[in-house]
Amino acid sequence: MAAAESDREVPSALCPKFVNFSAKDTASKWLQVSDLPKEVYQHMALYVPQIYCLGPNLNPQREDLRAQLLLQAPLEWYLCGEDPSTGLAKLQQSNQPSQLCGHVFKVGEPTYSCRECAADPTCVLCMQCFLGSVHKEHRYRMTTSGGGGFCDCGDTEAWKKGPYCHKHEPNISDASQEDPLAHMSADMIARCYNVFSIILKYAVDMLTWDKEDELPEGLEPPDRGDTYYCMLFNDEVHTYEQVIYTLQKAVNCTQKEAVSFATTVDRDGRKSVRYGDFQYCEQAKSVIVRNTSRQSKPLRVQVMHSSVVAHQCFALKALAWLGHVIGYSDALRRILCQVGLQRGLEGENSSLVDTLMLCDSKMWKGARNVYHQLFMSSLLMDLKYKKLFAIQFAKNYERLQSDYVKDDHDREFSVTDLSVQMFTVPSLARMLITEEDLMTTIIRTFVDHLRHRDLQGRFQFERYTAQQAFKFRRVQSLIGDLKYVLISRPNEWSDQLREKFLEGLDTFLELLKCMQGMDPVVRQVGQHIEMEPEWEAAFTLQMKLTHIISMMQEWCATDERVLIDAYKMCLAALTHCHSGFTDGEQPITLSMSGHSVDTIRYCVSQEKVSIHLPVSRILAGLHVLLSKSEVAYRFPELLPLSELSPPMLIEHPLRCLVLCAQVHAGMWRRNGFSLVNQIYYYHNVKCRVEMFDKDLTMLQAGASMMDPNHFLMIVLSRFELYHIFSSAECRKRYNRENANKDVIQQNNTLIEEMLHLIMMVVGERFVAGIGQVESCDEIKREIIHQLCIRPMAHSELVKALPENENKETGMERVIDSVASFKKPGVTGRGLYELRPECAKQFNLYFYHYSRADQSKAEEAQRKLKRQNGEDTALPPPVLPPFCPLLASLVNVLQCDVLLSMLGAVLQWAVEPSGGHWSESMLQRVLHLIGMALLEEQQQLENSSEDHDVTFHFTLKISRPGEAPSNTASILALLETLQNAPHLEVHKDMIRWILKTVAVIKTMRERTVAAPVTTSGERSQEELVPDKDKAERKRKAELARLRREKIMAQMSEMQRHFIDENKELFQQSLEELEASSSTSMEHSPTTPDAALLCVGPRRSRPLEKRQVVTCILCQEEQEIRADGKAMVLAAFVQRSTVMSKNRKRPPHDPDRYDPLFMHPDLSFGTHTGSCGHIMHSHCWQRYFEAVQAKEQRRQQRLRVHTSYDVENGEFLCPLCECLSNTVIPLLPRRAKTSSSFEQPGLELWMKSTGQQVRALHSAHRKLNPTSTEEMEETKPEDESPPPDGFAVDHTPTNPYSSTIKEMLTTFGTATYKVGLKVHPNEQDARVPIVCWGSCAYTIQSIERLLVDEDKPLFGSLPCRQDDCLSSLARFGSACWIATSLPTVQAHFIRLLAALVPDPQEKAPCILDIDMFHLLVSLVLSYQAVHCQDSSGLSMDAAQLHFLHLVTVGHLVQILLTSGPVEAAMDQESGGAEREEEEAICRLYNTIRTHLGSSLPELTSGWHLWRCVKAGILPYLRAAALFFHHLNGAPTPPELHGLGSGQWEVLCGYLNLPTNLLQLYCSYQELLEPLLKGWCSHPDMRQTLQGGGSLVSFPRESNRLIDLPDDYSALINQASSFTCPKSGGDKSRAPTLCLVCGTMLCSQSYCCQTELEGDDVGACTAHTFVCGAGLGLFLRVRESQVLFLAGKTKGCFYAPPYLDDYGETDQGLRRGNPLHLCRERYRKIQKLWRQHSVTEEIGHAQEANQTLVGIDWQHL
Ligand SMILES: [Zn+2]
Ligand SMILES: [Zn+2]
Ligand SMILES: [Zn+2]
Ligand SMILES: [Zn+2]
Ligand SMILES: [Zn+2]
Ligand SMILES: [Zn+2]
Ligand SMILES: [Zn+2]
């Protein structure tokens, strides 16, 4: 919208009523008046109703034009004080533009965020800014915008580095500090102020106006008609269908109109559905209300006076106008901000901006969008006013959020969605926290909305209604706001910030207190729970809060005083939660191994227990921070350490961990899946940081403050295992406990779990603050343990690691130090492999392993060790030392209670008995012993004096038990176990333990004398006895032999597998087969004889007999004409792969005459085969079985298969390749070696002419219906047939009945698919389609070989060779399945295209594809030849056809080669000179015949080059054809790519190297033909561009070029709009890879009808562009889509990879994506070799869900 050019010109053209209006005059009048608002209102009251809403059909263009001239122009004149076109331009010129980009994103537009420099992930750049910024060299993330939000370029707070792109770099004379109003005259400022306040006030008044029939004061229209609108409003309750149905009833509209109404209502929020007098509209309203009020609240409808609607329309326009005008100058923007935020008469929160915000939820979508846009381009773009706006926003926050929660519109349509624009600015966020209590406000508002509490004040989600659940979802957006506020941590703290943060934390703890202990569970005994309890809401809350909890801790970590106060607050909160901790629970005393402790009696399996303990967990987190920041040692006096009660701290986390153990042990089976799910999430990477991990931390913290024996006894008691280990007789467990097997099993699992827990408490030290590690060590360790399972892709690793609030795992920083990257091939993805040196850090009992992970990792690591020839013990890794605060934890490993437990388990293992112990129990005990030994070894190594070492594990395990039991020592037990036959698996580990004990003993001895210098491991190696070494060597040798044997078996199996999974091995197989087929064919040829594939002297095939094996019955069968039919599974499909004209409309299948293929090859029929051969009767039986099975299955369940049986489709029984027919295998034609001298071309043409004439008359006699022809019959036509040609001779059918049947089967199938018609074996076009398919398939293979740089022969896989031979031979036998006269008639018509025949009308040679003509002529001639007994050989005829067609093609190329560029004439040698002269002669002859429509010849040399290049594909295709038809061996030169191919090729085809000799030698004979071709009526028209002229050689088609950077595609798609619904963004823009068309896929708007079905844009396009087949790229999804027909489709990996060699289907990860050319070539190859349908078939077989997708709607 630009300012009006000039004042009076246009309106006169518009409407006579407004002719005398002058914006300038109006503006000058306004300058005079005293009460400007009143004057402007009067103006609007007069004009607005005359412009807007004049009837039922609106004309937005006319309205806008009039509004511009009558309403906006005077305002602009007033504003500028001169012609606005000059005034605004001046403003723009003097404007110092803000350095903020502020580009507002469209839906689907790409946005970029720098992972290194962005302050948080919400800071994004638009594409232009990104490309001009430093970040494009950094690690960045790319996403597509959901619409709204703007580019943060230029915002210094949004970026740690490089905040400006080139374009937004501020000038050196920094204008940002300056007041933008400084340069504006006071006069102008006043005028702007006036206009803006009047217009903004007007807009706010109108948009928030809720009266239907009145207008605000001063706006009443001068004359008021009885004109109303029935306005329908959007809600999220009623469905599209309901609305459409109701509208049809209420306002009597068509379905289509109703859909359009509903769409607009959905998009804009309201739409008038009826115009008329009040009564009329009211009636519609009542129908709508009545119809929609039955189940829910009715649709909102208002009957509004037209003037009200008119003013509302203009109000929206006015807001847009304001946004436009302030775009000219920052000064205007500032004035508007001032106007907007100026406090109104009602005091606080009464500015116009406040009014808009507070009415937000009452406005319709369209209005909200417009004013949100204005806020973004004004308030949020002015740094000063952004702050003021933020304050107002914060003040209104609670009210806005409550309105939002009550409203039902999505958040993107709510003003609350603007929070991200302010809260993520660190300085604003901090200001709002300190000055507006924002943190507390957000949390309090959140808590207020979750009202359901139980008696203890905890949240209760149990019986949540759907409405409450809906509300709960909306409330969650508050957590998002809180996250924004906290996302950047302060570097400096003011006292005020401390105070307000702690206040916020206090409120937050109130929230956590409501969660502590929520959703408790009680173990169900006896019967299963009746109803799965609701658990998801609580976990959703936990998951949403996880990052907040972590961030709170991180804030605390940055300030010691805050940390100390926070710790105290958390402790107080926890104490409050547990105030009733011991109530009602009896204290008991536990004692074991001489220690005793008091605790309470509590059983997890009997009482309430909850997984939700956020207060304990946040305290655990702070405890670690105390240790990490060393505050614990520096200010112990400030900490309430003495108030800590360790048993209280550990109690609830321990219960929770015991609950998990009991669930594993199967004790909670009756509590159903909800509990299993909760346990799963408790450990899951999304939650564990603030759940499982922190519980463990709390146990570590508690245990470090307790006597380890006491700690362990409490653990035993909570695990309900105390009674097992406490009795003195515990070592003889098997004697006493002969109870229920289930109980034993349960207890075994519980013991295992408990031992694991002890390992974790002592061993998990990789969190900074617990152990002495850096934060990167933690992540390194996570990655190592993931990669110990198997090599993983980048994305898999990311998924396994917890992300922080910035969506970063920190993996990139460390990955290279622990893993090496393996690039992907053409399939698969890049993988990270663990560096071998990292394997020794492997801990089998890593705390984040699931049980499945653990066993996979164990297996992998043992295998690795075996491969390296090492023993298979997996001892614990060496651990870093604890931080001082937790250092005492190591004593758990050597305390008496633990030793007694270890001893007990070992004792059970020594004397095994049925099921009272388990191997994994023993394994854990051994691991714990190993941990203790390593601890002792470490301490010895790190201390200079022996007495520093307080750890005496070796000593303690050597001591036998005390009297009276006198049990064996642990060491003794281990020595016993070493030889136990039932513990073979653990031998290596026991041996390792004993060795380590020995090493430590040596160390202890040595330390007395000298410090230890050797590292533990090396000394271990030294100690390995020789005997041991020998033994290991022997074992390794045995293992090697075993491996070799297995390998041999494997390769045997693989061979079978290859047969069965052919497509997987296609490539390697193809090579294999190719080489074998080559060697077979040309080895025994006589080297001297030139090989010929056509002509009377053609070379004989090598093998006489062809024997094949049926894949179904495995019987061998020779191929013979009279034998059983053998068939090849085949797939026939329509193809446009070689099309040179995609605009050609599809043929009418019933009328189309396919005899002549046009050279643009726009539609062809391709036949392919997997090469698997069957007996025809075996196949028929198989196919019938498939049909029957399919029928049964369809009756049972309506599921589809990947193939359509009703359409004759089936899967090859061997390779499951999609097929739809079979081709019979036919024997080669025997060579008739007659002594008869074969006639030359002239003679042959003459006799063929006679044959044709004889046939003509014979056919007429046969078919006398056409009277016209009878009359035309002239006596000379009754010429006698040539000698030996018997028109009435009926040739014998050489084929057996089964072969004949198969001939019909294949012919009919090809006809049906090729023409898309119903099968009709009688149709005359059957043979034509078959010949066409043969020619098309050969041509496409010839192109493929060129494109792949492969030689003509020898590189085709067997399956294609077989397929081509069968196709060619089938073609020549067609006449047997069809009638002889039909084929003869085709022949006559075909020949007439070259040799003029007065009775046939032939097309112009420019409209004929010559190779198709050649193939059809040769194949149809068989039908004529079989009636000839003159001795004329078929071979001679073939050669003559080749000559004739080749000459025709030469002429065709000369005609189409276009003006030859004047190139330097080259000196050429004798032979070439001859060719040059000949070509010139021929060219000039053609010119003479044509007049001068051909350009003059300039260079003969160049022309000859063009002709050679143009005819080469034809010659190559001809060689393939005759080779397969006649079975002649191929010359070895054509098995390579070397030079001299031309000569060999011509020779093989029995043609002279100088092709022009074909013409020159028979000039007199051919001259009349040439003349005939040139004088064809269509010739001149085609040459002059009337038809589509194809030039030769035809270039191979390629898929469209794709950009290297994927975001270029996203950008392209984001500006693509749906072609049907004017200007709307398309939701699923999809790119056709064949022609580059962008489509609006998967959407109602672009559905069309195709053959009676509704189909989406993609399916519709495939029928135009690809004969039903399509390859697409779904841009938003980054996914390739293959479609075939209406029902078949699959998704395919896109050719775009990120730096980690992975695709990103669905664009979820946002790593930059770049084109992988190899992968794109692979897709192109699939397309070119017609394998897309096959690929779809395989994909659907592999993934049944693909079958169910409605592909046709895409
Ligand atoms: Zn930008
Ligand atoms: Zn920029
Ligand atoms: Zn950066
Ligand atoms: Zn068979
Ligand atoms: Zn097969
Ligand atoms: Zn296309
Ligand atoms: Zn569309």
Side-chain angles (χ1 to χ4, degrees), residues 1331-1343:
W1331 303 327
S1333 179
C1334 175
Y1336 190 86
T1337 307
I1338 290 176
Q1339 275 175 319
S1340 89
I1341 286 176
E1342 190 274 330
R1343 279 294 86 195

Side-chain angles (χ1 to χ4, degrees), residues 216 472 474 831 893 1177 1268:
F472 178 56
R474 295 179 82 81
L831 290 178
L893 285 173
H1177 61 265
E1268 222 177 298

Side-chain angles (χ1 to χ4, degrees), residues 1134-1136 1142 1163 1634 1661-1670:
R1134 277 153 62 78
S1135 158
T1136 64
R1142 288 190 194 281
F1163 294 97
V1634 174
H1661 182 75
T1662 59
F1663 281 80
V1664 181
C1665 171
L1669 186 107

Side-chain angles (χ1 to χ4, degrees), residues 865-873 978-981 983-989 991 995 1026-1044:
K865 288 205 144 197
R866 270 197 298 273
Q867 274 169 9
N868 297 341
E870 297 168 33
D871 65 44
T872 58
Q978 191 182 9
N979 300 317
L983 295 176
E984 192 63 35
V985 221
H986 304 289
K987 242 178 202 160
D988 280 345
M989 183 65 189
R991 197 179 302 124
K995 260 178 262 160
D1026 282 350
K1027 198 182 90 194
D1028 222 61
K1029 266 189 185 163
E1031 171 73 355
R1032 189 167 300 153
K1033 213 173 158 187
R1034 197 182 61 82
K1035 276 190 181 164
E1037 179 63 14
L1038 277 176
R1040 191 183 59 80
L1041 288 172
R1042 206 166 43 233
R1043 266 201 308 278
E1044 273 171 6

Side-chain angles (χ1 to χ4, degrees), residues 1510-1580:
I1511 205 165
L1512 187 62
Y1514 161 83
L1515 293 180
R1516 286 163 51 90
L1520 278 172
F1521 172 62
F1522 285 116
H1523 162 69
H1524 285 105
L1525 181 66
N1526 295 331
T1530 52
E1533 292 88 342
L1534 294 180
H1535 288 257
L1537 289 167
S1539 60
Q1541 301 256 311
W1542 172 267
E1543 285 74 17
V1544 181
L1545 188 61
C1546 290
Y1548 186 51
L1549 282 167
N1550 213 345
L1551 296 175
T1553 313
N1554 179 2
L1555 288 181
L1556 290 161
Q1557 280 177 8
L1558 291 177
Y1559 174 74
C1560 300
S1561 323
Y1562 298 93
Q1563 202 160 350
E1564 280 119 74
L1565 186 67
L1566 296 175
E1567 183 59 32
L1569 300 187
L1570 194 60
K1571 193 162 178 197
W1573 299 339
C1574 292
S1575 55
H1576 192 279
D1578 292 349
M1579 174 67 79
R1580 197 165 300 230

Side-chain angles (χ1 to χ4, degrees), residues 1170 1172 1212 1215:
C1170 62
H1172 290 132
C1212 164
C1215 68

Side-chain angles (χ1 to χ4, degrees), residues 1351-1417:
L1352 186 59
F1353 289 110
S1355 51
L1356 281 185
C1358 254
R1359 61 179 195 151
Q1360 267 171 356
D1361 272 329
D1362 289 348
C1363 177
L1364 288 184
S1365 305
S1366 313
L1367 266 180
R1369 287 175 207 158
F1370 171 81
S1372 62
C1374 266
W1375 60 275
I1376 290 170
T1378 327
S1379 76
L1380 199 57
T1382 308
V1383 181
Q1384 287 169 343
H1386 291 327
F1387 171 75
I1388 293 169
R1389 287 180 59 208
L1390 286 164
L1391 190 66
L1394 293 177
V1395 185
D1397 180 341
Q1399 301 193 25
E1400 293 293 339
K1401 204 172 152 283
C1404 164
I1405 62 160
L1406 288 179
D1407 293 336
I1408 302 172
D1409 179 71
M1410 287 299 167
F1411 182 68
H1412 271 75
L1413 180 64
L1414 175 70
V1415 169
S1416 309
L1417 272 174

